[in-house]
């Protein structure tokens, strides 16, 4: 299959995906607020989703698309559970600073 | 092969009793504990009685224990004449002593524990006796040592009892060491440990004498000397009297301590080929008999007198073995089991009557207060002193006659045995007079007769002590000869009667002296009189314990403390451990920085790791140079 010339080149998508992923990693590493950390994780997941979709489009493979749905589903479930935990943590500690939440016990 | 006699039940029943009482006894009422404990030896005794009608010898194999290309050990039980005699004694006398124990131990806190141990002992002892090969015998051998240790230290809250248990165990280890070396030599030279195979292999080599057989026989005898308390390993037996008195009767008089005699008789085909080993056995036996009897002369603890008497009588048995009169030794073993068990049980009854007092100087006058104990003890005292037609008269005479008939060394040993017979009579009648005659010297004792559960066994054993000699007189040798070989030389005619008369005379002389010293003169005067020369030496048991303490125990302690503890343990092993520990601490101090507990630092390391991995995977593709081969880096 030929890549049609007026399309955006494949590598742009991949670079965007890598940039998003690195942003997610950096955000995860440097931000202190738990919600921001959480969002950074979502960012990483979606960066991966982007590369999945890119390759699925490239190889005309539907598996990549399906994987994306799985990832989104897991991410949604994770968001539900994670936000619940965050609320519980906030109620118990009155803070969302990651450095202060270093005990498994509430 | 004739029908099975189910010999395996004989050890199994006491073992079941041990398990039941040992595991559940604490929660069971006393009646059930006693019932379980009594039924086990009774059942075994009945099985032995049933089995005694079978054709002997009878072997039963239950499977293979050890199997290699060149060496096999089967789980075999053999019932032949000597093992039958031993089993009857062990289970029969054992059962009587169990009954006695019900009365003797009735108020002890460890009642269930006591009976569990006692049944465990019977399990191992019957295994030892029935074993068809030396290794299985060794299992029983070690097992009875364990049971003995547990029962000597039964009142472990008492330091002396715990120490006595340890002493018995350790001294026995020395003997067991010899036994084991003997077994290894047997395996190396004959490739089997089965008694019947060994006997056949040795019989097939009529020229094989001395040499390796002497070495094996002497090693085995070291084991026998340890278990049967012979010089120089007898020291544990007198201390073993710390255990409950029925235990002294069963284990340290009637059965376990005779295991050595039984073992020598069992392996007689080895000893028979080694005149040197036989001489050693005979000399050690005679020396022990005399040595222990002299110590017994002055002991004041009633049980210690009996303990030294046991050592002395065991010496007689070894004297019998040493002049190849194995059947006489086994005969004496049997009669000794009767009268010595009786002596101990009667002594237990006396101690019970005196409320725990064991010092004979504080007894006296018990004749009227404990009449049944008195009469049964009298029977035993007369029996052990070789009074005519009582049990030891026949068996001791058989040994002495065999010794006399076995050459010039035998004559000397016979004389030693004769002197010992006189000494035996002296110390037994001394005990008799001190305990039962004269005035009661105890201060606050209110002597009372024991319950019938204790007196019943006494009466039965008294009958056996009086009449037991007739079981074997003249017939015993013929009965045992298929298993133990024919008797050596027999004394004939008038000489035999002269021997008997001399032995009896020796006994009477002993009695007469004891009578003059302890009955005609008042005991109080006797005790106050200045001690004759040598009294202190005997009182202190020839300082043998002190000698061992100085030459063996003390150097061992110093060696352990200075070389093993300070040099080896503290300096070398401790130093090594310190180096390793310090290494661990340093590396831990460095590595713990990674374990900061900070999630973001973990994530950073994770990301860094992923990046590094990614670099190595991708670098060859991106930069075209296979800088590092990481498996997949090639394509």
């Amino acid at each position: 299959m030929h890549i049609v010339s007026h399309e955006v080149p494949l590598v742009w998508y991949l670079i965007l995906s890598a940039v998003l992923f690195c942003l997610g990693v950096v955000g995860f590493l440097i931000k202190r607020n738990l919600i921001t950390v959480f969002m950074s994780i979502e960012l990483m997941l979606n960066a991966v989703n982007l590369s999945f979709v890119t390759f699925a489009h490239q190889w005309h493979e539907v598996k990549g698309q399906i994987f994306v749905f799985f990832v989104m589903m897991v991410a949604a479930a994770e968001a539900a559970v994670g936000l619940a935990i965050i609320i519980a943590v906030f109620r118990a500690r009155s803070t969302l600073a990651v450095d202060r939440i270093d005990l498994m016990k509430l | 092969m004739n029908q099975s006699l189910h010999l395996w039940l004989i050890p199994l029943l006491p073992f079941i009793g041990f398990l039941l009482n040992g595991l559940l006894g604490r929660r069971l009422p006393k009646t059930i504990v006693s019932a379980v404990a009594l039924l086990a030896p009774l059942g075994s005794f009945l099985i032995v009685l049933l089995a005694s009608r079978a054709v002997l010898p009878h072997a039963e194999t239950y499977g293979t224990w050890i199997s290699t290309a060149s060496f096999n050990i089967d789980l075999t039980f053999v019932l032949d004449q000597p093992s039958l005699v031993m089993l009857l004694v062990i289970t029969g006398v054992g059962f009587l002593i169990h009954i006695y124990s019900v009365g003797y131990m009735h108020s002890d806190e460890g009642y269930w524990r006591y009976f569990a141990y006692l049944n465990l002992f019977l399990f191992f002892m019957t295994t030892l006796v029935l074993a068809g090969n030396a290794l299985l015998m060794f299992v029983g051998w070690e097992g009875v040592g364990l049971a003995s240790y547990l029962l000597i230290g039964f009142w472990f809250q008492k330091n002396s009892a715990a120490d006595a248990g340890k002493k018995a165990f350790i001294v026995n280890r020395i003997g067991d060491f010899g036994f084991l070396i003997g077994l290894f030599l047997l395996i190396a030279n004959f490739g089997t440990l089965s008694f019947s195979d060994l006997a056949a292999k040795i019989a097939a080599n009529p020229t094989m004498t001395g040499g390796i057989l002497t070495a094996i026989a002497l090693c085995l005898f070291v084991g026998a000397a340890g278990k049967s308390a012979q010089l120089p390993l007898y020291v544990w037996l007198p201390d073993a009297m710390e255990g409950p008195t029925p235990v002294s009767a069963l284990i340290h008089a009637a059965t376990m301590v005779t295991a050595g005699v039984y073992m020598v008789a069992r392996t007689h085909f080895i000893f028979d080929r080694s005149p040197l080993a036989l001489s050693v056995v005979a000399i050690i036996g005679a020396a022990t008999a005399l040595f222990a009897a002299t110590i017994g002369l002055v002991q004041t603890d009633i049980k210690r007198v009996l303990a030294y008497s046991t050592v002395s009588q065991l010496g007689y048995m070894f004297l019998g073995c040493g002049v190849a009169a194995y059947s006489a030794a086994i005969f004496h073993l049997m009669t000794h089991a009767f009268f010595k068990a009786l002596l101990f049980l009667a002594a237990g009854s006396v101690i019970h009557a005196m409320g725990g007092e064991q010092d004979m100087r504080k007894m006296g006058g018990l004749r009227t207060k404990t009449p049944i104990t008195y009469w049964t003890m009298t029977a035993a005292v007369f029996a052990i002193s070789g009074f005519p037609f009582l049990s030891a008269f026949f068996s001791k005479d058989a040994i002495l006659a065999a010794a006399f008939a076995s050459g010039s060394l035998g004559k000397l040993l016979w004389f030693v045995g004769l002197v010992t017979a006189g000494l035996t009579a002296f110390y037994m009648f001394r005990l008799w007079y001190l305990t039962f005659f004269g005035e009661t010297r105890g201060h606050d004792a209110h002597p009372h007769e024991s319950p019938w559960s204790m007196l019943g066994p006494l009466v039965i054993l008294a009958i056996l002590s009086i009449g037991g000699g007739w079981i074997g007189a003249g017939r015993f040798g013929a009965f045992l000869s298929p298993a133990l070989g024919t008797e050596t030389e027999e004394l004939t005619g008038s000489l035999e009667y002269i021997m008997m008369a001399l032995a009896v005379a020796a006994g009477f002389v002993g009695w007469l002296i004891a009578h003059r010293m302890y009955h005609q003169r008042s005991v109080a005067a006797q005790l106050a009189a200045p001690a004759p020369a040598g009294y202190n030496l005997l009182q202190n048991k020839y300082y043998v314990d002190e000698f061992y303490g100085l030459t063996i125990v003390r150097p061992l302690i110093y060696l352990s403390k200075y070389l093993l503890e300070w040099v080896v343990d503290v300096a070398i092993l401790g130093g090594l451990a310190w180096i390793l520990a310090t290494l661990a601490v340093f590396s831990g101090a460095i590595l713990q920085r990674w374990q900061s507990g900070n999630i973001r630092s973990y994530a950073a390391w994770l990301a860094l790791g992923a990046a590094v991995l990614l670099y190595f995977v991708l670098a060859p593709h991106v930069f075209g140079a296979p800088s590092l081969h990481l498996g997949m880096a090639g394509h």
Side-chain angles (χ1 to χ4, degrees):
Chain A
M1 252 336 194
H2 292 282
I3 298 166
V4 190
S5 58
H6 58 80
E7 277 190 359
V8 182
L10 177 76
V11 72
W12 289 20
Y13 289 105
L14 291 181
I15 287 171
L16 176 61
S17 166
V19 168
L20 283 175
F21 188 84
C22 288
L23 281 175
V25 169
V26 171
F28 181 84
L29 292 181
I30 64 172
K31 298 307 278 186
R32 298 187 64 190
N33 189 305
L34 199 53
I35 293 176
T36 322
V37 169
F38 203 69
M39 285 162 66
S40 304
I41 295 172
E42 297 295 320
L43 198 59
M44 283 189 275
L45 284 171
N46 284 313
V48 173
N49 276 352
L50 183 59
S51 53
F52 263 127
V53 172
T54 310
F55 283 117
H57 180 77
Q58 169 76 6
W59 303 119
H60 294 279
E61 267 280 1
V62 79
K63 281 179 197 162
Q65 311 273 13
I66 291 172
F67 236 105
V68 169
F69 283 109
F70 273 102
V71 173
M72 283 163 71
M73 202 176 68
V74 170
E78 187 206 331
V81 176
L83 284 172
I85 291 175
I86 287 171
I87 289 167
V89 166
F90 186 75
R91 280 188 184 153
R93 297 277 171 85
S94 314
T95 177
L96 283 180
V98 170
D99 300 323
R100 303 238 192 103
I101 310 167
D102 52 0
L103 288 175
M104 294 286 274
K105 265 176 19 178
L106 275 178
Chain B
M1 179 103 184
N2 42 13
Q3 70 188 53
S4 170
L5 297 174
H6 298 292
L7 296 176
W8 54 277
L9 278 172
I10 299 170
L12 188 71
L13 285 177
F15 190 66
I16 293 173
F18 159 68
L19 286 182
L20 282 178
N21 276 342
L23 296 175
L24 309 171
R26 192 195 293 270
R27 285 175 213 90
L28 292 177
K30 252 178 196 178
T31 42
I32 295 181
V33 171
S34 328
V36 169
L38 289 181
L39 282 177
L42 180 65
S44 296
F45 182 59
L46 294 178
I47 295 168
V48 177
L49 277 184
L50 282 178
S52 67
R53 299 187 307 185
V55 184
L56 300 177
H58 175 91
E60 288 183 6
T61 300
Y62 303 111
T64 305
W65 179 9
I66 296 171
S67 175
T68 63
S70 58
F71 178 66
N72 285 294
I73 297 277
D74 286 334
L75 288 171
T76 306
F77 281 168
V78 175
L79 186 72
D80 59 0
Q81 287 86 353
S83 59
L84 177 64
V85 171
M86 286 293 284
L87 282 176
L88 285 171
V89 169
I90 292 162
T91 55
V93 175
F95 176 58
L96 291 176
I97 290 172
H98 274 68
I99 298 178
Y100 180 92
S101 303
V102 171
Y104 192 82
M105 301 296 287
H106 68 92
S107 54
D108 197 280
E109 278 175 27
Y111 191 77
W112 58 277
R113 194 162 56 91
Y114 173 83
F115 278 107
Y117 291 164
L118 218 52
N119 279 355
L120 180 69
F121 167 73
L122 282 183
F123 163 67
F124 281 122
M125 190 69 201
T126 46
T127 306
L128 187 162
V129 170
L130 278 169
N133 58 62
L135 195 62
L136 198 53
M137 183 188 237
F138 188 71
V139 171
W141 189 272
E142 292 294 312
V144 293
L146 167 70
S148 162
Y149 163 78
L150 290 172
L151 283 164
I152 294 170
F154 180 72
W155 289 311
F156 54 82
Q157 302 91 337
K158 240 187 352 179
N159 258 340
S160 56
D163 287 347
K166 280 185 271 182
K167 184 172 178 182
F169 203 78
I170 292 167
V171 174
N172 264 299
R173 298 302 314 165
I174 300 172
D176 296 343
F177 175 71
F179 193 175
L180 264 182
I181 299 289
L183 294 191
F184 295 152
L185 284 174
L186 279 175
I187 296 171
N189 288 283
F190 297 101
T192 177
L193 287 177
S194 156
F195 293 126
S196 52
D197 290 355
L198 284 172
K201 282 193 178 178
I202 291 175
N205 278 318
T207 52
M208 191 180 201
T209 51
I212 191 71
L213 286 177
T214 301
I216 293 171
L218 287 178
C219 283
L220 293 179
F221 180 62
V222 170
K227 189 63 75 189
S228 291
Q230 295 299 290
L231 283 174
L233 298 176
Y234 74 97
V235 286
W236 65 271
L237 187 58
D239 285 15
M241 297 301 126
E242 291 287 345
T245 306
V247 169
S248 311
L250 177 62
I251 299 184
H252 306 117
T255 55
M256 185 192 83
V257 288
T258 60
V261 181
Y262 176 76
M263 188 255 271
V264 172
R266 179 54 83 208
T267 54
H268 70 94
F269 43 84
I270 301 171
F271 286 85
D272 279 341
R273 290 293 183 84
S274 169
L276 175 64
L278 275 182
S279 306
V280 169
V281 173
I283 291 168
I284 295 274
T288 309
L290 183 66
F291 185 80
T294 52
I295 299 177
L297 295 178
V298 299
Q299 296 300 310
T300 51
D301 182 320
I302 187 167
K303 283 181 75 181
R304 286 204 173 241
V305 175
L306 296 178
Y308 281 105
S309 166
T310 304
V311 176
S312 170
Q313 297 296 315
L314 289 166
Y316 266 116
M317 295 176 211
F318 278 108
L319 172 58
C321 286
V323 296
Y326 304 106
S327 56
I330 296 280
F331 186 22
H332 194 56
L333 188 163
M334 183 185 79
T335 57
H336 175 258
F338 295 151
F339 62 69
K340 189 51 66 65
L342 173 56
L343 281 170
F344 268 110
L345 294 187
S349 180
V350 168
I351 294 166
H352 190 80
M354 298 297 294
E357 182 57 62
Q358 298 196 10
D359 192 336
M360 292 193 296
R361 288 170 298 190
K362 294 181 181 153
M363 296 179 183
L366 291 178
R367 186 170 38 140
T368 48
K369 281 155 187 152
T370 58
I372 296 170
T373 306
Y374 165 69
W375 280 112
T376 50
M377 179 77 111
T378 305
V381 167
F382 276 86
I384 189 178
S385 306
F387 205 78
F389 310 118
L390 302 186
S391 53
F393 168 73
F394 295 103
S395 53
K396 208 183 277 186
D397 182 64
I399 290 176
L400 290 178
F404 191 81
S406 72
S408 50
L409 176 66
K411 302 265 189 310
L412 175 68
L413 297 177
W414 164 82
F415 184 71
V416 172
L418 193 67
V419 172
T420 307
L423 296 176
T424 307
F426 174 79
Y427 66 67
M428 286 320 300
F429 279 103
R430 171 175 175 269
L431 181 152
W432 193 56
Y433 284 123
L434 282 177
T435 310
F436 293 108
F437 290 83
E439 296 298 309
T440 309
R441 292 180 296 277
H443 299 300
D444 39 35
H446 301 287
H448 53 277
E449 187 62 296
S450 305
W452 270 104
S453 58
M454 290 166 67
L455 296 177
L458 287 183
V459 173
I460 298 173
L461 283 170
I463 294 167
L464 285 171
S465 300
I466 294 168
W470 294 102
I471 300 173
R475 293 190 296 273
F476 218 69
F479 172 67
L480 288 175
S481 62
L484 297 181
T486 46
E487 201 73 32
T488 44
E489 293 135 88
E490 290 282 341
L491 289 177
T492 47
S494 56
L495 190 57
E496 189 178 353
Y497 293 113
I498 293 172
M499 297 273 100
M500 282 188 189
L502 280 174
V504 171
F508 268 107
V509 169
W511 181 12
L512 212 66
I513 298 172
H515 184 74
R516 287 184 66 89
M517 283 178 70
Y518 293 97
H519 194 51
Q520 290 185 335
R521 292 164 59 185
S522 87
V523 179
Q526 179 65 40
L527 293 173
Y535 184 86
N536 270 330
L537 185 65
L538 293 180
Q539 184 73 46
N540 288 299
K541 300 161 269 180
Y542 294 105
Y543 298 97
V544 170
D545 277 327
E546 286 77 1
F547 176 72
Y548 284 170
L550 212 61
T551 55
I552 297 167
V553 179
R554 193 83 73 79
L556 261 180
I557 288 176
Y558 282 137
L559 182 79
S560 307
K561 187 163 185 173
Y562 294 113
L563 181 69
L564 295 181
E565 187 190 339
W566 289 6
V567 176
V568 176
D569 197 47
V570 175
I572 298 179
L573 293 177
L576 274 176
W578 182 83
I579 290 173
L580 284 175
T582 315
L583 212 69
V585 167
F586 267 114
S587 49
I590 295 166
L591 287 172
Q592 76 172 349
R593 287 162 199 274
W594 271 277
Q595 304 291 324
S596 59
N598 186 341
I599 295 172
R600 288 181 302 164
S601 90
Y602 295 160
W605 284 111
L606 198 74
L608 191 68
V612 168
L613 261 181
L614 210 64
Y615 171 77
F616 280 120
V617 172
L618 294 181
H621 298 285
V622 178
F623 306 112
S627 59
L628 192 74
H629 290 280
L630 272 177
M632 61 211 295
H635 43 100

